[in-house]
Amino acid sequence: MSRSLETSSLKRKRPEVDPLGLVDAERAILNAIKSKKDLGIWVRDIKHETKLTDHVVNKSLKSLLTRKLIKEVVNIQYKGKKHYMAVEFEPSKEISGGVWYVDGNLDKELINVLKQLCLRCIRVQKVATIERVHEDLKKQRVVTFEISIQQVSEILNSMVLDNEIIEVKSTGLGEYYSIPIGTSCYRFDSGALVAKGSKVGAFASIPCGACPRISLCTPDGIISPCTCVYYTKWLNIDF
């Protein structure tokens, strides 16, 4: 009876075997990496969380990479810092930068192609809403992914910042007749077109013609022709 109890006790005390054949340090590091899911973890944070030495961490990471249990990923916010992620996860947009990045580098070629397509749509439509541009891009099928309206918004916003187009509010009149009043839409920068020698109407040829804040503009107000950088730039154009 006592021998049976002794045998049972020995069985209970037998150390558990890791299903993946990992040693304790490797298992601790793998658990730390998995806990971060699609955000990945910086190698220094691994050392901090596991309290393991540099040598042990580096050796274990190499072993886990060889076993294809983890992968090294590029974090666009900290390109000089090595980040690791479990193989079952894909980097989040915060880490990878989303569709605009490839291997941690901005995909300028893709962005330029989409910009040109957006410009073409706006040129044809004269003025276009983000929904109209989105539909036009989807019909083009120039990308391998399903482009979202948020991604189109990011492209259009960058074009506004680059002074390629301007964002305005529909008045419901003229070129805006098919767009509900107050709806945000996009058109070419009138001032830029004049600078290039394009012929446009008298009022549309000045920035005021497409300014979304024109209703608030007064000679002595916060928004005023006297302080408007766009109006000043237009005055300096050599017609």
Side-chain angles (χ1 to χ4, degrees):
M1 183 70 176
S2 61
R3 182 176 298 176
S4 176
L5 289 173
E6 184 178 352
T7 303
S8 177
S9 177
L10 288 172
K11 287 182 179 179
R12 286 197 299 271
K13 292 181 180 180
R14 182 178 298 169
E16 295 183 2
V17 178
D18 190 283
L20 297 176
L22 303 177
V23 298
D24 291 345
E26 292 172 342
R27 171 55 62 183
I29 291 174
L30 180 60
N31 288 340
I33 294 173
K34 283 188 173 184
S35 70
K36 305 305 178 184
K37 299 182 179 180
D38 62 353
L39 293 177
I41 183 172
W42 182 27
V43 64
R44 183 176 293 181
D45 290 333
I46 294 175
K47 296 172 184 177
H48 176 74
E49 289 192 14
T50 61
K51 302 296 190 294
L52 296 170
T53 64
D54 290 359
H55 174 72
V56 172
V57 169
N58 293 334
K59 181 179 179 181
S60 298
L61 287 173
K62 185 176 180 180
S63 174
L64 294 172
L65 286 168
T66 301
R67 293 167 179 260
K68 299 187 184 303
L69 296 174
I70 64 171
K71 57 187 175 182
E72 188 174 340
V73 294
V74 176
N75 186 324
I76 62 168
Q77 300 178 41
Y78 308 101
K79 290 186 178 181
K81 300 178 179 179
K82 285 188 176 182
H83 281 68
Y84 295 91
M85 184 178 295
V87 292
E88 57 263 38
F89 297 105
E90 289 299 324
S92 66
K93 183 179 179 180
E94 291 77 11
I95 296 296
S96 67
V99 297
W100 308 134
Y101 286 79
V102 176
D103 297 328
N105 297 311
L106 188 65
D107 192 345
K108 294 181 180 179
E109 183 177 352
L110 170 63
I111 292 173
N112 287 333
V113 167
L114 291 175
K115 278 187 173 183
Q116 291 304 313
L117 291 174
C118 289
L119 283 173
R120 185 170 68 182
C121 174
I122 296 172
R123 183 181 294 114
V124 171
Q125 299 294 321
K126 305 298 183 185
V127 58
T129 62
I130 186 173
E131 291 79 11
R132 182 67 184 83
V133 176
H134 181 224
E135 286 299 320
D136 192 71
L137 286 181
K138 287 199 298 184
K139 291 178 182 178
Q140 299 293 329
R141 296 183 180 179
V142 294
V143 292
T144 56
F145 56 90
E146 183 69 24
I147 191 165
S148 68
I149 198 164
Q150 174 59 36
Q151 290 162 345
V152 175
S153 176
E154 291 171 1
I155 290 290
L156 292 174
N157 286 338
S158 72
M159 294 170 68
V160 171
L161 292 174
D162 290 337
N163 295 318
E164 297 179 74
I165 58 174
I166 55 176
E167 183 178 2
V168 296
K169 298 288 186 181
S170 171
T171 62
L173 303 173
E175 295 174 341
Y176 305 97
Y177 77 95
S178 62
I179 303 173
I181 296 175
T183 301
S184 293
C185 45
Y186 300 86
R187 58 175 295 166
F188 281 103
D189 186 338
S190 301
L193 286 174
V194 171
K196 294 178 181 179
S198 299
K199 295 180 180 179
V200 293
F203 187 63
S205 67
I206 63 176
C208 311
C211 179
R213 300 288 183 268
I214 190 170
S215 61
L216 304 175
C217 185
T218 59
D220 301 319
I222 296 176
I223 300 177
S224 166
C226 300
T227 57
C228 179
V229 294
Y230 301 105
Y231 189 66
T232 302
K233 185 185 296 185
W234 177 79
L235 288 175
N236 291 328
I237 294 174
D238 185 16
F239 292 100

